[in-house]
Amino acid sequence: MVNSDYLKNLNEAQKQAVMSLEGPLLIVAGAGSGKTKVLTSRIAHIIKNKKAFPNQILAVTFTNKAAKEMEYRVSKILGSSATGLSWLGTFHSICAKLLRKHASAVNLNSNFTIIDTDDQIRLIKNICKAENIDIKQISPRFVIAIIDKWKNKGMYPNEVKINHKDIYEKTILPVYRIYQQKLTELNACDFGDLILHSVKILEKNIDIRQIYSKNFKYILVDEYQDTNFIQSKWLNLLAEKNKNICCVGDDDQSIYSWRGAEIKNFLDFDKIYENTKVIRLEQNYRSSKNILSVASELISNNQNRVGKTLKSTMTEGDLIKLNCFKNGKDEAVGVSDEIEKIKKKYSLNNIAILVRAIFQTREFEERFLKIGLPYRIVGGIKFYERSEIKDCVAYLRLIHQERDDLAFERIVNNPKRSIGESTIKTIHEYSKKNKTSLENSARKMVHENLIKPKAKLGLSLFLDLVSKWRNDLKIKKYNHVKLLQILLDESGYSAMLKNKKDLENENRLENIKELLSAMKEFDNLESFLDHVSLATSIDKDWEGEKINMMTMHAAKGLEFDIVFLPGWEEGLFPHQKSIEEKGHNGLEEERRLAYVGITRAKKNVIISFSMNRFYQGDWIDSMASRFIDELPENNLEKNSYFDENKDTFDEFEFNQDIELDDNSKRSPGWIRYQKRIK
């Protein structure tokens, strides 16, 4: 059934964006302004007015979900006339289609295989082994990340110019060269190749480029602020002939620079495409006026932006709550108390807690488990189910209980100690035959010389360490928190994570630091292990509605009635690393992340920070995030803690010149600030 009234459901700016069909168009679509509606209506308008056939329209998204949603909405407007949109899909799916047609141009057959991350890791491992590169020093995932970075910049191995400040690039470049050769030999490519090869084909073969450039009368791109260099170049080549390229996005929601996105593509659109028309979608259909006022005031502090003024169609709504707490534990209690008050009015599915870093979920998980509030971790794993946490707990379980075979099996070769599957199998057989634990079996087999020399050496060292740790605990040389720190160092586990340079391992280290903080809340090892057992089993039966917990990055594109934004403290948010690595640009991206967090909310936003936090098992003083100073006072409702501690709060203002006597008890953000003002 055809919907001929599709234009009547649009506001004036949306209608203009749909009907402006000639020449390059940049649609600056603010949060909740109906950009998907505009894109789909524009495709329908082109087809309905016979400006192009469906197969002459290129519509590009970042996710399969977005592509399917777009296709569904177009078909709702046009009915059967929407069939034939054969070039609607993700960057990767469309490039794969193009590449299969012209595979020979890059020395591939049309039936090439697209390898996944696991295949990539295996291939990189084999190459590193052959080239005598220690994967304990440079992890395969890190190698893949660097190769992806080069591919996103449009560079084959012979085009890479090494950054001499980066000690790893010199080692990785030869691996990249061999890796590409291997892929060609295997008649395969990775996801990065899909776009890189497509660009190279279009660049080097004018006849092929002209075919596609002429065919695509209209090009539409969703979430343009998230494009990287090679994606932008690919679009530029395809738009060469007709120039009817329409890109939709929001520069204020550009938060993915860490995976190659370049906000420059969005900001310089009118320089790339002459005679660009810019249309701003400023009518917000999601959030209350107060929420938009706070978000707009905050983001106005960024310099690198196109600029827009969002207007809400909703009521004023409640003031944004700004809560200060004594510590992180009190913050978790405060959030849970707030949820208890509102859960009768709002579904738990419509409540979200958005954090800057995934380790922050721990204190909330602990609290929710204690009081029976069901929750889910969106786009991640619950704290005590994360592999590094399970590894640490397994070490502690084995020290506590030598008959814990599951713990023994998990950590006996973690990190690697040359104890392979065959050795573990042999220990299992001995254990079964002699009806004794795996640890005891291993000790007897080492003593009786039943283990191969290399494995015996690794196993002996491991068993000696376990005995030492067990004795240290028995004589109370260390408490359970210090014991974990010691065993992580002595086992080589910490070194394993530190030496493998990639983002995943950095997150794992942060999670372990949070675990140390959690352990300090318990008097001894036994009570802590009991707590972990209960925490990992208590929520297995939870069904139905659940509170959503996720990072702000994972929340992009989602919306909720109520949004909690905890942990707004210097060093945590804006994140220390982001500012250290990217300076002013890093700060602006962190502010955009705050903007994304706030604009996920429809009804209420509750921002909070703590004056003290547990960090690596020690209390540290925190400072309120500088972003809090940028929020408009008239739109805020502060909790009683502000009044009760008025004198104290004068010290916590970001611009206050404070002399510190003990930096070890200060947050990274506080220390950084002191260095800046001296």
Side-chain angles (χ1 to χ4, degrees), residues 95-119:
C95 283
K97 188 174 178 177
L98 189 152
L99 190 54
R100 292 207 185 274
K101 289 178 184 287
H102 310 284
S104 60
V106 285
N107 299 316
L108 293 172
N109 298 324
S110 59
N111 64 341
F112 62 81
T113 303
I114 304 168
I115 66 169
D116 60 16
T117 306
D118 287 343
D119 292 327

Side-chain angles (χ1 to χ4, degrees), residues 592-606:
R592 291 195 292 272
L593 194 55
Y595 175 84
V596 167
I598 294 169
T599 56
R600 297 311 91 199
K602 295 193 276 187
K603 308 281 188 186
N604 291 92
V605 174
I606 301 96

Side-chain angles (χ1 to χ4, degrees), residues 288 291 315 317-318 321 338-352 373 545-548 560-564 601-606:
S288 70
I291 290 171
T315 61
D318 294 335
K321 289 186 179 178
E338 196 81 39
I339 292 171
E340 292 285 5
K341 286 179 199 170
I342 61 176
K343 70 179 186 180
K344 291 176 183 173
K345 188 178 176 183
Y346 297 101
S347 161
L348 293 182
N349 290 334
N350 279 319
I351 300 172
L373 270 177
E545 294 184 1
K546 295 178 183 181
I547 300 158
N548 303 282
F560 306 92
D561 286 336
I562 315 292
V563 170
F564 290 88
K602 295 193 276 187
K603 308 281 188 186
N604 291 92
V605 174
I606 301 96

